[in-house]
Amino acid sequence: MRKYDVFGVGNAIVDILAFVSDDFISERGLAKGAMTLMDASEQASILIGIEREDVHLASGGSAANTMVAIAQSGGKGIYCGKVTSDTNGEFYRKDMHTSGIEFPVLPAPEASLPTGTCVVLTTPDAERTMCTHLGISTCLEPSEIDFEQLADCKISYIEGYLWDAELPRQACLETMQQSKRHGTKVAFTFSDSFLVHRYASDFKDVVSEYCDILFCNLDEAKIYCEADTIESCATILGKMVPLVFVTNSEHGCIVVENGEQKRVNGFPVKPLDTVGAGDAFAGGVLYGLTNGKSPAQAARWGNFLASKVVQINGPRLSQAPQQHELVW
């Protein structure tokens, strides 16, 4: 028996959330619906543009959001990400602990790089565009990963966003290698289409060598597989990984277990903000898989959590949703 369900590794980012018009996105030359990395001055110009808007702060980062969804479902997890001893870093650490997730990595001194931040701009169609300054999160080192704790977890969960900096990428690979050593299953998420474009070769190596569980959305799958339909992508991915979850927004997802495909319907709702939907889905799935549910049942719970998250502003639910047998 292992003490924890999931060991997450990802960028520790404070989200700065605001609603904007489509013109705001186009006037600044941002790639709508994608995540753009930028330096502090570039991000500052975006912040100036939204200073009159109603802005909301939340501790975020893709894998961190997933870990919180696991905790809200009733699971136990550990999260490894790097923050600084600044205001945003203390906010982040307290929020993770309040959410029920252990956060063991010690903060960097305040004189270091600042805690990472992401300006999340949501347009009227509920699409989110992210402007991210990674800050100190790029300094997460392999030595800061507690592999004894990893050995006490059922699944490790690693986000593709970590590939944009050398040290976190090494930390990811070491986590995957140590997971294999300790019999901990490895789950990986592509995270974003631009990452699949940028690191196609790396991701192919990771998927073939380490992955037991893979998460991606349809756009990411199409790029990775060089295919046109969700079914064809599922067929290709199912030959590479024992268990695959390909999400398709309101249409739910396809689960591929040992090459066999099964469609799991979503929960149709009117979306307000799609930030965190994929993260919530992964959290629901990982909770289900580590608590006795079949992959299809786990996917249904993931779809349910995602349907709840898209109806709020922000990447996380404020409280745990009520589980119901009809969802499973």
Side-chain angles (χ1 to χ4, degrees):
M1 295 294 293
R2 301 196 178 199
K3 183 178 179 181
Y4 301 97
D5 295 323
V6 181
F7 186 97
V9 186
N11 288 322
I13 304 289
V14 173
D15 289 331
I16 303 167
L17 306 151
F19 286 98
V20 299
S21 66
D22 286 308
D23 288 343
F24 185 95
I25 302 296
S26 60
E27 287 168 2
R28 287 157 180 78
L30 298 172
K32 184 177 176 180
M35 193 275 280
T36 301
L37 291 176
M38 51 184 59
D39 60 29
S41 62
E42 290 174 313
Q43 192 188 66
S45 69
I46 302 295
L47 289 169
I48 291 171
I50 62 171
E51 61 184 358
R52 295 184 181 180
E53 305 296 332
D54 184 16
V55 173
H56 173 66
L57 293 182
S59 59
S62 176
N65 294 336
T66 292
M67 297 304 298
V68 170
I70 292 168
Q72 289 180 334
S73 298
K76 295 181 179 180
I78 300 171
Y79 183 64
C80 292
K82 188 81 170 180
V83 297
T84 299
S85 296
D86 54 15
T87 301
N88 282 335
E90 289 307 304
F91 168 79
Y92 193 97
R93 286 175 59 82
K94 289 179 181 178
D95 196 33
M96 289 300 289
H97 286 300
T98 300
S99 298
I101 296 295
E102 293 193 21
F103 189 70
V105 179
L106 295 175
E110 195 165 357
S112 307
L113 291 168
T115 296
T117 50
C118 177
V119 182
V120 182
L121 307 170
T122 302
T123 42
D125 59 358
E127 189 64 85
R128 85 283 185 274
T129 301
M130 298 176 287
C131 307
T132 304
H133 176 50
L134 293 172
I136 197 68
S137 68
T138 61
C139 300
L140 178 68
E141 301 182 29
S143 62
E144 294 178 290
I145 308 296
D146 189 328
F147 296 118
E148 289 187 7
Q149 288 185 319
L150 172 65
D152 210 15
C153 296
K154 300 171 187 174
I155 295 175
S156 61
Y157 179 72
I158 295 105
E159 65 174 47
Y161 284 126
L162 289 166
W163 248 253
D164 267 317
E166 180 62 29
L167 286 174
R169 188 185 316 142
Q170 292 176 10
C172 286
L173 292 171
E174 185 68 20
T175 299
M176 292 177 177
Q177 291 164 6
Q178 292 293 330
S179 294
K180 291 297 185 183
R181 176 185 172 190
H182 293 295
T184 299
K185 289 188 176 181
V186 175
F188 182 63
T189 174
F190 286 155
S191 295
D192 199 292
S193 296
F194 88 89
L195 291 167
V196 183
H197 277 297
R198 188 178 297 179
Y199 301 112
S201 178
D202 283 2
F203 283 4
K204 289 184 187 301
D205 290 341
V206 165
V207 166
S208 62
E209 190 168 353
Y210 299 112
C211 272
D212 299 296
I213 305 164
L214 178 66
F215 292 92
C216 60
N217 64 34
L218 179 54
D219 289 339
E220 295 157 1
K222 285 180 176 180
I223 296 167
Y224 184 84
C225 298
E226 298 180 341
D228 295 327
T229 68
I230 191 168
E231 291 81 11
S232 56
C233 290
T235 297
I236 293 169
L237 293 171
K239 295 178 181 177
M240 301 177 180
V241 186
L243 185 56
V244 182
F245 297 87
V246 185
T247 59
N248 190 17
S249 59
E250 72 273 14
H251 302 295
C253 68
I254 283 186
V255 180
V256 192
E257 183 178 13
N258 297 321
E260 183 177 344
Q261 298 182 25
K262 183 172 184 177
R263 186 178 297 275
V264 180
N265 292 331
F267 293 79
V269 295
K270 182 174 176 57
L272 172 69
D273 176 3
T274 57
V275 176
D279 304 334
F281 172 81
V285 168
L286 291 170
Y287 169 75
L289 294 177
T290 53
N291 285 273
K293 303 301 181 182
S294 71
Q297 288 175 316
R300 187 158 172 79
W301 182 244
N303 285 340
F304 179 72
L305 292 187
S307 74
K308 293 295 183 184
V309 166
V310 299
Q311 296 178 75
I312 64 169
N313 179 24
R316 300 178 184 172
L317 299 174
S318 59
Q319 59 186 5
Q322 293 297 312
Q323 294 190 32
H324 192 285
E325 287 303 317
L326 289 178
V327 173
W328 295 116

